Amino acid sequence: MNTPTKQDKIKGAFFASIVGDALCLGSHYEYDAQKIYEAYGQKPIEKFMSPGEMMGGQTHGIGWGQRNYHPGKSAGGTTDYGDYNILVLEYLAKVSDEVRPFSVANMIPHWMNRLENGWGSWICTMTKETYAQVRQGVPVERLGGISNAMAIRHVAAHAYYDTEDKLVDVARKTMFTHKNVDALSGGEFFARVTHRVINGAAPSDAIEDVAVQMGGFIEAKAAQAIAKFQEEADETRELHKEQFSDDLALTSMARLWDVGRSEPIKVGKASPTEGTLPGAVYFILKYADKEDGLKKALQANAMVGGDNASRSIAVGMVLGAHKGVNAIPSEWKNTLEQWEYCENLLNKLPLLKS
């Protein structure tokens, strides 16, 4: 395969994240990996599915209950994670004539309009809280709630800004519904890693270098993921021999979260950054150098379940940057609802416009 150009890498980062998210629509918030495996015919997912398809139309979001989390969506559509990235792309395309610092205040009217007119996806608690704050006149710098969920929304910015510091600024600002330092740091981590991969770094090198640079929580979680990846890859270890090794790997990297119900959430598969970040890093490292690695990583992530859509954005953007847009299977390109729409918008952004 030809080495992807920088433009191919930028497009790969965006579209692999959106495709990965769309692959999770059918199983988003289903925490039983064996149930997903049986529902999908005892093989990795091959096509986009509607919410809960093959699983009775609902998924078991422990703590939130059994329900259809994306009632306005169908196969080929995206979850709220993909929707947010498309929303940011739409905003950047509107202001692409003159490159300027990212402004949350300027984007908020577009954000409000999208939420109020046929959003169709799950609306997270932090989005609801921030929406109410905006309606109450809370200043932009004080918006957001305390959730530690990692919500990466800046992927399109890699086609708009060409420096790492500017991308970090956008990564943090697009998570304006969240105040938690771990969540914001998770978004920064993947912004830095993706930027370096787009510019030629190997995913493993970028992950290790950025982790050391950021230190603290980020360095510890990245190190945990690296160790788990190495454990699962070792044919002599018990984890490697397990049929659902990816599921066990992710659930072993974070605590149980007792939500006062009979089924505590396995945080390694849930939304908090303490599980989402190492889970995404695990999949990136496992599949970065494999043939069809992008496809296999996005499939494996979807099959584990939990908040697989959150992980899919990180996995897709890094491996898409590594492999390029042409590594995305044509059948997924042809059946993603908004591929052409997003491509037309992406081509308006400064780093792809020429």
Side-chain angles (χ1 to χ4, degrees), residues 20 23-24 27 33 36 43-46 244-247 250 269 279 282-284 286-287 290 292-306 308 311-312 315 332:
L23 282 172
C24 295
S27 59
I36 297 171
K43 59 184 179 181
I45 185 171
E46 288 284 351
F244 295 94
S245 61
D246 290 340
D247 181 58
L250 266 64
K269 295 169 63 170
Y282 167 86
F283 283 118
I284 292 166
K286 180 172 179 177
Y287 293 99
K290 292 187 177 180
D292 290 333
L294 175 60
K295 176 183 179 180
K296 292 175 180 176
L298 297 180
Q299 288 175 311
N301 172 65
M303 296 300 291
V304 165
N308 47 10
R311 298 189 305 267
S312 74
V315 174
W332 293 350

XYZ file of all heavy atoms in Angstrom, residues 20 23-24 27 33 36 43-46 244-247 250 269 279 282-284 286-287 290 292-306 308 311-312 315 332:
332
model
N -15.821 4.461 13.045
C -15.739 3.670 14.271
C -16.917 3.928 15.189
O -17.465 3.000 15.798
N -20.043 2.230 13.820
C -20.017 0.785 14.079
C -20.507 0.460 15.490
O -20.946 -0.651 15.758
C -18.606 0.231 13.892
C -18.126 0.002 12.463
C -16.644 -0.370 12.473
C -18.932 -1.092 11.769
N -20.432 1.437 16.380
C -20.838 1.223 17.771
C -22.303 1.542 18.019
O -22.819 1.253 19.102
C -19.977 2.092 18.699
S -18.227 1.650 18.730
N -24.465 -1.340 19.363
C -24.135 -1.951 20.658
C -23.752 -0.936 21.728
O -23.307 -1.321 22.807
C -22.983 -2.949 20.485
O -21.838 -2.303 19.955
N -20.256 -8.258 26.623
C -19.556 -8.552 25.372
C -19.978 -9.894 24.780
O -20.026 -10.041 23.548
C -18.043 -8.536 25.608
N -23.171 -9.398 22.833
C -22.903 -8.780 21.531
C -22.371 -9.821 20.557
O -22.810 -9.899 19.402
C -21.890 -7.620 21.679
C -22.464 -6.510 22.554
C -21.494 -7.062 20.308
C -21.465 -5.429 22.934
N -19.134 -13.518 15.429
C -18.057 -12.997 14.584
C -18.034 -11.473 14.713
O -19.027 -10.861 15.133
C -18.263 -13.406 13.131
C -19.566 -12.917 12.525
C -19.758 -13.449 11.106
C -21.097 -12.961 10.536
N -21.322 -13.478 9.160
N -16.920 -10.850 14.369
C -16.831 -9.388 14.473
C -17.870 -8.692 13.591
O -18.242 -9.199 12.531
C -15.410 -9.085 13.993
C -14.653 -10.351 14.195
C -15.633 -11.454 13.945
N -18.318 -7.557 14.025
C -19.285 -6.768 13.273
C -18.707 -6.409 11.902
O -17.532 -6.036 11.789
C -19.675 -5.498 14.060
C -20.771 -4.729 13.324
C -18.466 -4.623 14.365
C -21.363 -3.589 14.130
N -19.520 -6.519 10.860
C -19.065 -6.236 9.499
C -19.789 -5.056 8.870
O -19.300 -4.458 7.927
C -19.276 -7.471 8.604
C -18.329 -8.624 8.889
C -16.925 -8.398 8.339
O -16.740 -7.416 7.600
O -16.032 -9.196 8.665
N -12.454 -13.905 25.226
C -12.827 -12.492 25.293
C -11.702 -11.694 25.974
O -11.934 -10.961 26.938
C -14.153 -12.331 26.040
C -15.316 -12.970 25.323
C -15.704 -14.272 25.631
C -16.001 -12.286 24.331
C -16.764 -14.873 24.963
C -17.066 -12.879 23.658
C -17.448 -14.174 23.968
N -10.508 -11.837 25.440
C -9.336 -11.212 26.061
C -9.422 -9.693 26.051
O -9.012 -9.038 27.019
C -8.050 -11.667 25.364
O -8.060 -11.290 23.992
N -9.962 -9.093 24.982
C -10.064 -7.635 24.941
C -11.015 -7.132 26.021
O -10.738 -6.136 26.700
C -10.567 -7.166 23.566
C -9.548 -7.371 22.458
O -8.343 -7.510 22.769
O -9.948 -7.370 21.279
N -12.117 -7.817 26.187
C -13.090 -7.446 27.215
C -12.458 -7.520 28.607
O -12.595 -6.600 29.422
C -14.294 -8.378 27.119
C -15.378 -8.042 28.132
O -15.871 -6.905 28.109
O -15.724 -8.911 28.950
N -9.820 -4.668 29.173
C -10.364 -3.354 29.497
C -10.965 -3.299 30.899
O -10.741 -2.333 31.633
C -11.420 -2.941 28.459
C -10.881 -2.080 27.312
C -9.874 -2.839 26.464
C -12.006 -1.535 26.460
N -14.887 -0.168 30.889
C -15.691 -0.147 29.668
C -16.647 1.044 29.634
O -17.370 1.219 28.650
C -16.504 -1.438 29.557
C -15.664 -2.681 29.383
C -16.475 -3.947 29.535
C -17.541 -4.089 28.485
N -18.166 -5.434 28.510
N -8.209 2.073 27.625
C -8.874 1.143 26.719
C -8.591 1.488 25.269
O -8.299 0.614 24.442
N -4.954 0.755 24.418
C -4.787 -0.694 24.260
C -5.108 -1.126 22.836
O -4.336 -1.848 22.194
C -5.679 -1.408 25.273
C -5.861 -2.893 25.037
C -4.954 -3.821 25.533
C -6.959 -3.366 24.309
C -5.122 -5.183 25.322
C -7.140 -4.722 24.092
C -6.219 -5.630 24.593
O -6.386 -6.979 24.365
N -6.253 -0.689 22.315
C -6.641 -1.077 20.952
C -5.694 -0.480 19.910
O -5.363 -1.124 18.913
C -8.078 -0.654 20.660
C -9.106 -1.545 21.284
C -10.003 -1.058 22.226
C -9.197 -2.886 20.930
C -10.958 -1.881 22.797
C -10.141 -3.729 21.504
C -11.027 -3.218 22.439
N -5.268 0.745 20.117
C -4.334 1.372 19.178
C -3.041 0.573 19.099
O -2.552 0.257 18.006
C -4.053 2.829 19.602
C -5.314 3.692 19.415
C -2.884 3.414 18.789
C -5.236 5.041 20.107
N -2.475 -2.553 19.998
C -2.668 -3.938 19.558
C -2.767 -4.044 18.039
O -2.285 -5.030 17.447
C -3.917 -4.515 20.212
C -4.192 -5.978 19.809
C -5.321 -6.599 20.620
C -5.584 -8.044 20.170
N -6.631 -8.705 20.997
N -3.354 -3.049 17.398
C -3.646 -3.174 15.967
C -2.855 -2.232 15.058
O -2.998 -2.321 13.833
C -5.147 -2.972 15.739
C -5.981 -4.083 16.326
C -6.612 -3.939 17.555
C -6.115 -5.304 15.660
C -7.368 -4.968 18.101
C -6.860 -6.341 16.200
C -7.491 -6.165 17.417
O -8.219 -7.198 17.951
N -0.736 -4.187 12.448
C -1.297 -5.388 11.836
C -1.913 -5.065 10.474
O -2.365 -3.949 10.225
C -2.359 -6.006 12.757
C -1.772 -6.594 14.036
C -2.821 -7.345 14.825
C -2.197 -8.002 16.064
N -3.187 -8.750 16.858
N -4.670 -4.746 7.866
C -6.064 -4.370 8.114
C -6.269 -3.961 9.565
O -7.352 -4.143 10.140
C -7.027 -5.517 7.767
C -7.121 -5.766 6.270
O -6.903 -4.815 5.497
O -7.414 -6.906 5.883
N -5.224 -3.376 10.155
C -5.270 -3.035 11.570
C -6.345 -2.033 11.934
O -6.960 -2.135 13.000
N -6.596 -1.069 11.060
C -7.634 -0.081 11.348
C -8.997 -0.746 11.421
O -9.757 -0.550 12.376
C -7.630 1.008 10.271
C -8.744 2.055 10.378
C -8.673 2.795 11.698
C -8.680 3.032 9.214
N -9.318 -1.548 10.429
C -10.602 -2.259 10.407
C -10.744 -3.144 11.639
O -11.782 -3.112 12.326
C -10.715 -3.104 9.139
C -11.983 -3.955 9.080
C -12.022 -4.830 7.825
C -13.285 -5.683 7.797
N -13.347 -6.550 6.589
N -9.726 -3.917 11.943
C -9.801 -4.858 13.053
C -9.917 -4.146 14.396
O -10.625 -4.606 15.302
C -8.584 -5.779 13.032
C -8.576 -6.742 11.839
C -7.291 -7.555 11.790
C -7.303 -8.509 10.602
N -6.023 -9.252 10.464
N -9.238 -3.020 14.535
C -9.307 -2.269 15.792
C -10.706 -1.717 16.019
O -11.250 -1.790 17.128
C -8.289 -1.138 15.777
N -11.308 -1.147 14.972
C -12.651 -0.585 15.109
C -13.680 -1.676 15.377
O -14.618 -1.476 16.163
C -13.016 0.199 13.850
C -12.132 1.420 13.546
C -12.598 2.120 12.276
C -12.106 2.393 14.714
N -13.499 -2.843 14.757
C -14.392 -3.972 15.023
C -14.244 -4.446 16.469
O -15.235 -4.637 17.180
C -14.068 -5.133 14.078
C -14.474 -4.916 12.632
C -14.013 -6.057 11.741
O -12.848 -6.470 11.785
N -14.921 -6.573 10.915
N -13.007 -4.652 16.890
C -12.760 -5.175 18.237
C -13.293 -4.230 19.305
O -13.883 -4.660 20.301
C -11.259 -5.404 18.433
N -13.104 -2.937 19.093
C -13.605 -1.964 20.050
C -15.121 -2.015 20.145
O -15.697 -1.986 21.237
C -13.163 -0.560 19.640
C -13.822 0.506 20.488
O -13.589 0.593 21.687
N -14.678 1.309 19.873
N -15.795 -2.111 19.001
C -17.260 -2.181 19.012
C -17.742 -3.425 19.734
O -18.742 -3.385 20.471
C -17.792 -2.153 17.586
N -17.058 -4.545 19.541
C -17.496 -5.823 20.098
C -17.384 -5.884 21.616
O -18.093 -6.651 22.264
C -16.696 -6.970 19.476
C -16.890 -7.155 17.983
S -18.586 -7.503 17.477
C -18.793 -9.160 18.142
N -16.523 -5.070 22.207
C -16.369 -5.074 23.669
C -17.578 -4.433 24.345
O -17.967 -4.821 25.440
C -15.065 -4.364 24.078
C -15.065 -4.025 25.565
C -13.868 -5.246 23.752
N -18.190 -3.436 23.686
C -19.357 -2.789 24.260
C -19.026 -1.750 25.300
O -17.935 -1.189 25.315
N -19.972 -1.499 26.201
C -19.813 -0.397 27.140
C -19.924 0.921 26.385
O -20.678 1.047 25.428
N -18.347 2.099 24.060
C -17.411 1.851 22.961
C -17.351 3.033 21.998
O -16.336 3.239 21.327
C -17.772 0.560 22.213
C -19.250 0.436 21.871
O -20.019 1.384 22.023
N -19.648 -0.740 21.402
N -14.551 5.447 23.059
C -13.229 4.914 22.685
C -13.019 4.978 21.180
O -11.901 5.183 20.711
C -13.091 3.466 23.160
C -13.174 3.256 24.660
C -12.803 1.821 25.036
N -13.590 0.819 24.335
C -14.723 0.281 24.803
N -15.210 0.662 25.972
N -15.373 -0.652 24.111
N -14.096 4.793 20.410
C -13.957 4.715 18.953
C -13.395 6.001 18.354
O -12.675 5.962 17.359
C -15.303 4.398 18.303
O -16.171 5.509 18.319
N -9.583 5.813 19.113
C -8.960 4.742 18.326
C -8.955 5.113 16.849
O -7.940 4.993 16.156
C -9.712 3.411 18.537
C -9.148 2.335 17.606
C -9.612 2.951 19.989
N -17.800 0.396 4.171
C -18.155 1.310 5.246
C -18.256 2.742 4.715
O -19.136 3.500 5.112
C -17.142 1.219 6.387
C -17.167 -0.103 7.088
C -18.091 -1.099 6.938
C -16.234 -0.570 8.054
N -17.794 -2.161 7.758
C -16.654 -1.880 8.458
C -15.082 -0.046 8.628
C -15.958 -2.635 9.393
C -14.383 -0.792 9.569
C -14.823 -2.079 9.947
